[in-house]
Amino acid sequence: MVGHTPVLWISTPFSSSDRGFWAKLEGFNPGGMKDRPAMHMVERARARGELQPGARIIESTSGTFGLGLALAGTMYRHPVTLVTDPGMEPIIQRMLSAFGAYVDLVTEPHPAGGWQQARRDRVAELLSHDEHAWYPDQYNNPDNVDAYQPLALELNAQLGQVDMLVCSVGTGGHSAGIARVLRQFNPDMRLIGVDTIGSTIFGQPASSRLMRGLGSSIYPRNVDYAAFDEVHWVAPAEAVWACRTLAATHYASGGWSVGAVALVAGWAARNHPRGTTIAAVFPDGPQRYFDTVYNDDYCRQHGLLDRDPPSEPALIAHPGEHVVQSWTRCETVIDPMEVAG
């Protein structure tokens, strides 16, 4: 059930009819793309003896990785506790409970690290009360990166040599893992990272974020900064336009990450020579976003409807140049923690 997902050719209206990109439809996994790292990380931890038979798995999640851990817990007979926040969609909370996971909801954001840090603090508290519990730590665990080798090999088998890879960035796992393998076939492949406004990953200041699944208010160490050729920040209204346009024109769509990646991959197709093989990873499908991205009342409440994105992103020379509020690209990629010393 996990892996061997299809690719779909995406062209107009994201690009002209003679150009386009290939979307890797990871929503065809049972719970989405993160089924891959969840299963792999659990398998590796069991093999090393870090995760004992029957021990509890405790992790922080905004949703998709939680679905993967619920699957791994069912497969290998581990109870699973997932720490999340009020931003998790009710449908996902209910499905996680139905799949046998215990959902632990934090109620207040961390004053500096936001909901993400609040969740991590709660995980640490729960771990302190269970000496046998195992913490996957998806933000920093190198097994998260290694888990995407099969996805990269699938892309190579489906498309041949990939010239450009477009990935959303949250924990940093799939962008690092896929690029590492694909560059063995094409060392000159370009990697474009897609982030959300309000995320700290690529050097912007942290602020409240409407989009979930990409971006971060902490600095995940799985992000391979040196691997990126450029980064784009996308705003929620721009992602909504792309999600709904994908659904209406290609009968395939997803959530915030999918919309943001499609917008940027379409730009890449328009601005690079015909015949350039561009692969874009769509991490999930649309089902969990019926109350947000595909809900007119929600989108009107947040001012996300009837706002077509620009044909070109704004360009900044350095991530610290100014705070971005809409689709913006930058060819200078920095690790904020190295800059801060």
Side-chain angles (χ1 to χ4, degrees):
M1 292 172 66
V2 178
H4 307 290
T5 54
V7 291
L8 177 68
W9 177 249
I10 306 289
S11 185
T12 57
F14 293 89
S15 63
S16 58
S17 59
D18 61 342
R19 287 176 166 82
F21 63 91
W22 292 98
K24 181 69 164 162
L25 302 182
E26 286 293 286
F28 278 73
N29 290 298
M33 178 181 69
K34 291 193 176 182
D35 290 348
R36 296 179 188 261
M39 293 290 288
H40 181 74
M41 291 160 74
V42 167
E43 290 163 359
R44 295 306 303 149
R46 285 169 56 88
R48 289 191 293 260
E50 297 169 5
L51 174 57
Q52 297 296 317
R56 180 170 294 276
I57 300 170
I58 303 176
E59 177 63 297
S60 162
T61 180
S62 62
T64 311
F65 190 61
L67 291 168
L69 284 177
L71 173 62
T74 298
M75 179 71 188
Y76 293 110
R77 303 293 187 265
H78 292 280
V80 176
T81 294
L82 300 168
V83 179
T84 189
D85 60 69
M88 178 184 279
E89 300 86 345
I91 186 175
I92 298 300
Q93 292 187 40
R94 292 167 186 154
M95 288 310 302
L96 287 170
S97 296
F99 288 142
Y102 176 75
V103 178
D104 188 297
L105 197 69
V106 298
T107 57
E108 295 291 336
H110 186 278
W115 290 111
Q116 224 159 5
Q117 189 60 51
R119 298 196 317 247
R120 287 165 61 84
D121 289 348
R122 176 59 177 161
V123 166
E125 181 183 352
L126 292 173
L127 290 170
S128 70
H129 297 300
D130 186 344
E131 63 178 340
H132 301 294
W134 177 68
Y135 171 40
D137 190 11
Q138 61 170 321
Y139 304 101
N140 304 296
N141 187 336
D143 289 337
N144 184 5
V145 177
D146 295 340
Y148 290 103
Q149 180 183 26
L151 194 161
L153 294 175
E154 289 171 28
L155 276 174
N156 185 70
Q158 291 165 318
L159 305 179
Q161 180 172 290
V162 175
D163 301 310
M164 185 170 297
L165 177 66
V166 185
C167 292
S168 57
V169 185
T171 67
H174 81 275
S175 54
I178 299 170
R180 176 189 300 170
V181 175
L182 289 182
R183 279 181 170 148
Q184 294 175 15
F185 301 98
N186 179 13
D188 297 324
M189 187 196 76
R190 292 180 60 82
L191 175 62
I192 300 179
V194 182
D195 201 357
T196 172
I197 62 170
S199 166
T200 64
I201 293 178
F202 290 100
Q204 285 278 300
S207 65
S208 60
R209 291 178 284 120
L210 195 62
M211 298 202 285
R212 296 173 68 84
L214 73 167
S216 178
S217 52
I218 59 177
Y219 302 111
R221 291 296 86 198
N222 277 332
V223 178
D224 185 357
Y225 289 95
F228 290 96
D229 293 283
E230 62 182 271
V231 60
H232 290 233
W233 294 271
V234 175
E238 296 155 349
V240 166
W241 175 88
C243 286
R244 292 181 172 218
T245 301
L246 279 170
T249 60
H250 289 79
Y251 206 84
S253 191
W256 302 110
S257 296
V258 167
V261 165
L263 183 72
V264 174
W267 168 86
R270 296 193 305 272
N271 286 275
H272 289 84
R274 186 185 300 108
T276 302
T277 301
I278 301 169
V281 180
F282 284 11
D284 58 13
Q287 290 80 4
R288 67 179 283 192
Y289 304 97
F290 287 161
D291 290 327
T292 52
V293 172
Y294 302 97
N295 183 310
D296 285 356
D297 291 337
Y298 175 91
C299 289
R300 287 194 189 98
Q301 177 187 349
H302 294 280
L304 306 180
L305 291 183
D306 304 318
R307 295 176 60 182
D308 290 355
S311 59
E312 293 287 323
L315 179 65
I316 58 175
H318 188 276
E321 187 173 312
H322 63 80
V323 178
V324 301
Q325 300 294 338
S326 59
W327 183 17
T328 303
R329 64 182 285 250
C330 181
E331 293 182 315
T332 301
V333 179
I334 64 165
D335 179 345
M337 289 190 72
E338 286 189 3
V339 172

mmCIF file of all heavy atoms in Angstrom, residues 322-339:
data_model
loop_
_atom_site.group_PDB
_atom_site.id
_atom_site.type_symbol
_atom_site.label_atom_id
_atom_site.label_comp_id
_atom_site.label_asym_id
_atom_site.label_seq_id
_atom_site.Cartn_x
_atom_site.Cartn_y
_atom_site.Cartn_z
ATOM 1 N N HIS A 322 13.868 41.804 3.505
ATOM 2 C CA HIS A 322 12.655 42.319 4.138
ATOM 3 C C HIS A 322 11.712 41.154 4.389
ATOM 4 O O HIS A 322 11.916 40.042 3.878
ATOM 5 C CB HIS A 322 11.971 43.403 3.293
ATOM 6 C CG HIS A 322 11.490 42.931 1.957
ATOM 7 N ND1 HIS A 322 10.323 42.230 1.771
ATOM 8 C CD2 HIS A 322 12.027 43.067 0.711
ATOM 9 C CE1 HIS A 322 10.162 41.951 0.495
ATOM 10 N NE2 HIS A 322 11.179 42.442 -0.175
ATOM 11 N N VAL A 323 10.675 41.390 5.180
ATOM 12 C CA VAL A 323 9.704 40.346 5.498
ATOM 13 C C VAL A 323 8.758 40.186 4.319
ATOM 14 O O VAL A 323 8.114 41.146 3.895
ATOM 15 C CB VAL A 323 8.921 40.690 6.777
ATOM 16 C CG1 VAL A 323 7.878 39.612 7.070
ATOM 17 C CG2 VAL A 323 9.873 40.858 7.953
ATOM 18 N N VAL A 324 8.679 38.967 3.783
ATOM 19 C CA VAL A 324 7.852 38.744 2.606
ATOM 20 C C VAL A 324 6.421 38.430 3.034
ATOM 21 O O VAL A 324 6.188 37.767 4.051
ATOM 22 C CB VAL A 324 8.416 37.617 1.726
ATOM 23 C CG1 VAL A 324 9.833 37.969 1.276
ATOM 24 C CG2 VAL A 324 8.416 36.285 2.451
ATOM 25 N N GLN A 325 5.461 38.911 2.247
ATOM 26 C CA GLN A 325 4.047 38.705 2.537
ATOM 27 C C GLN A 325 3.310 38.029 1.390
ATOM 28 O O GLN A 325 2.116 37.728 1.509
ATOM 29 C CB GLN A 325 3.369 40.056 2.845
ATOM 30 C CG GLN A 325 3.953 40.791 4.033
ATOM 31 C CD GLN A 325 3.711 40.054 5.341
ATOM 32 O OE1 GLN A 325 2.811 39.233 5.447
ATOM 33 N NE2 GLN A 325 4.533 40.339 6.349
ATOM 34 N N SER A 326 3.992 37.795 0.286
ATOM 35 C CA SER A 326 3.378 37.162 -0.879
ATOM 36 C C SER A 326 4.472 36.390 -1.619
ATOM 37 O O SER A 326 5.645 36.388 -1.212
ATOM 38 C CB SER A 326 2.729 38.205 -1.786
ATOM 39 O OG SER A 326 3.696 39.142 -2.231
ATOM 40 N N TRP A 327 4.104 35.746 -2.709
ATOM 41 C CA TRP A 327 5.021 34.886 -3.451
ATOM 42 C C TRP A 327 6.319 35.618 -3.786
ATOM 43 O O TRP A 327 6.315 36.645 -4.457
ATOM 44 C CB TRP A 327 4.319 34.415 -4.718
ATOM 45 C CG TRP A 327 5.096 33.453 -5.562
ATOM 46 C CD1 TRP A 327 6.179 32.706 -5.209
ATOM 47 C CD2 TRP A 327 4.828 33.133 -6.930
ATOM 48 N NE1 TRP A 327 6.601 31.932 -6.251
ATOM 49 C CE2 TRP A 327 5.790 32.171 -7.333
ATOM 50 C CE3 TRP A 327 3.876 33.550 -7.846
ATOM 51 C CZ2 TRP A 327 5.811 31.648 -8.617
ATOM 52 C CZ3 TRP A 327 3.887 33.026 -9.125
ATOM 53 C CH2 TRP A 327 4.854 32.079 -9.501
ATOM 54 N N THR A 328 7.421 35.080 -3.284
ATOM 55 C CA THR A 328 8.738 35.713 -3.415
ATOM 56 C C THR A 328 9.783 34.619 -3.583
ATOM 57 O O THR A 328 9.680 33.559 -2.970
ATOM 58 C CB THR A 328 9.068 36.545 -2.165
ATOM 59 O OG1 THR A 328 8.031 37.516 -1.953
ATOM 60 C CG2 THR A 328 10.393 37.261 -2.309
ATOM 61 N N ARG A 329 10.787 34.900 -4.408
ATOM 62 C CA ARG A 329 11.871 33.934 -4.584
ATOM 63 C C ARG A 329 13.211 34.566 -4.220
ATOM 64 O O ARG A 329 13.369 35.794 -4.252
ATOM 65 C CB ARG A 329 11.924 33.392 -6.009
ATOM 66 C CG ARG A 329 12.247 34.410 -7.078
ATOM 67 C CD ARG A 329 12.235 33.804 -8.481
ATOM 68 N NE ARG A 329 13.406 32.977 -8.757
ATOM 69 C CZ ARG A 329 14.369 33.321 -9.620
ATOM 70 N NH1 ARG A 329 14.320 34.492 -10.267
ATOM 71 N NH2 ARG A 329 15.380 32.526 -9.832
ATOM 72 N N CYS A 330 14.159 33.689 -3.878
ATOM 73 C CA CYS A 330 15.489 34.148 -3.506
ATOM 74 C C CYS A 330 16.489 33.068 -3.899
ATOM 75 O O CYS A 330 16.279 31.883 -3.592
ATOM 76 C CB CYS A 330 15.559 34.427 -2.012
ATOM 77 S SG CYS A 330 17.160 35.046 -1.435
ATOM 78 N N GLU A 331 17.571 33.471 -4.578
ATOM 79 C CA GLU A 331 18.587 32.512 -4.994
ATOM 80 C C GLU A 331 19.723 32.395 -3.991
ATOM 81 O O GLU A 331 20.668 31.632 -4.211
ATOM 82 C CB GLU A 331 19.119 32.897 -6.373
ATOM 83 C CG GLU A 331 18.080 32.744 -7.481
ATOM 84 C CD GLU A 331 18.636 33.078 -8.840
ATOM 85 O OE1 GLU A 331 19.338 34.112 -8.939
ATOM 86 O OE2 GLU A 331 18.377 32.331 -9.792
ATOM 87 N N THR A 332 19.642 33.143 -2.902
ATOM 88 C CA THR A 332 20.609 33.012 -1.808
ATOM 89 C C THR A 332 19.957 32.193 -0.703
ATOM 90 O O THR A 332 18.974 32.625 -0.103
ATOM 91 C CB THR A 332 21.019 34.389 -1.262
ATOM 92 O OG1 THR A 332 21.601 35.164 -2.305
ATOM 93 C CG2 THR A 332 22.012 34.238 -0.113
ATOM 94 N N VAL A 333 20.472 30.996 -0.475
ATOM 95 C CA VAL A 333 19.901 30.098 0.529
ATOM 96 C C VAL A 333 20.863 30.014 1.707
ATOM 97 O O VAL A 333 22.037 29.686 1.537
ATOM 98 C CB VAL A 333 19.651 28.703 -0.063
ATOM 99 C CG1 VAL A 333 19.069 27.772 1.011
ATOM 100 C CG2 VAL A 333 18.712 28.786 -1.268
ATOM 101 N N ILE A 334 20.364 30.322 2.896
ATOM 102 C CA ILE A 334 21.205 30.332 4.104
ATOM 103 C C ILE A 334 20.627 29.395 5.161
ATOM 104 O O ILE A 334 19.442 29.107 5.169
ATOM 105 C CB ILE A 334 21.331 31.751 4.680
ATOM 106 C CG1 ILE A 334 19.948 32.251 5.154
ATOM 107 C CG2 ILE A 334 21.941 32.709 3.694
ATOM 108 C CD1 ILE A 334 20.006 33.464 6.038
ATOM 109 N N ASP A 335 21.492 28.938 6.038
ATOM 110 C CA ASP A 335 21.080 28.225 7.239
ATOM 111 C C ASP A 335 21.043 29.259 8.358
ATOM 112 O O ASP A 335 22.094 29.753 8.791
ATOM 113 C CB ASP A 335 22.096 27.127 7.559
ATOM 114 C CG ASP A 335 21.723 26.349 8.827
ATOM 115 O OD1 ASP A 335 20.876 26.810 9.586
ATOM 116 O OD2 ASP A 335 22.319 25.261 9.042
ATOM 117 N N PRO A 336 19.863 29.636 8.843
ATOM 118 C CA PRO A 336 19.782 30.699 9.857
ATOM 119 C C PRO A 336 20.584 30.398 11.121
ATOM 120 O O PRO A 336 21.089 31.310 11.765
ATOM 121 C CB PRO A 336 18.279 30.780 10.158
ATOM 122 C CG PRO A 336 17.616 30.219 8.943
ATOM 123 C CD PRO A 336 18.537 29.143 8.462
ATOM 124 N N MET A 337 20.716 29.129 11.478
ATOM 125 C CA MET A 337 21.462 28.801 12.694
ATOM 126 C C MET A 337 22.950 29.028 12.504
ATOM 127 O O MET A 337 23.652 29.419 13.455
ATOM 128 C CB MET A 337 21.183 27.352 13.103
ATOM 129 C CG MET A 337 19.779 27.153 13.638
ATOM 130 S SD MET A 337 19.518 25.527 14.386
ATOM 131 C CE MET A 337 20.448 25.686 15.908
ATOM 132 N N GLU A 338 23.463 28.804 11.298
ATOM 133 C CA GLU A 338 24.868 29.094 11.045
ATOM 134 C C GLU A 338 25.109 30.605 11.039
ATOM 135 O O GLU A 338 26.127 31.093 11.553
ATOM 136 C CB GLU A 338 25.297 28.489 9.715
ATOM 137 C CG GLU A 338 25.457 26.991 9.742
ATOM 138 C CD GLU A 338 26.089 26.456 8.480
ATOM 139 O OE1 GLU A 338 26.455 27.267 7.598
ATOM 140 O OE2 GLU A 338 26.234 25.221 8.368
ATOM 141 N N VAL A 339 24.156 31.346 10.473
ATOM 142 C CA VAL A 339 24.285 32.801 10.442
ATOM 143 C C VAL A 339 24.296 33.354 11.867
ATOM 144 O O VAL A 339 25.054 34.278 12.200
ATOM 145 C CB VAL A 339 23.131 33.421 9.643
ATOM 146 C CG1 VAL A 339 23.128 34.949 9.765
ATOM 147 C CG2 VAL A 339 23.246 33.027 8.168
#
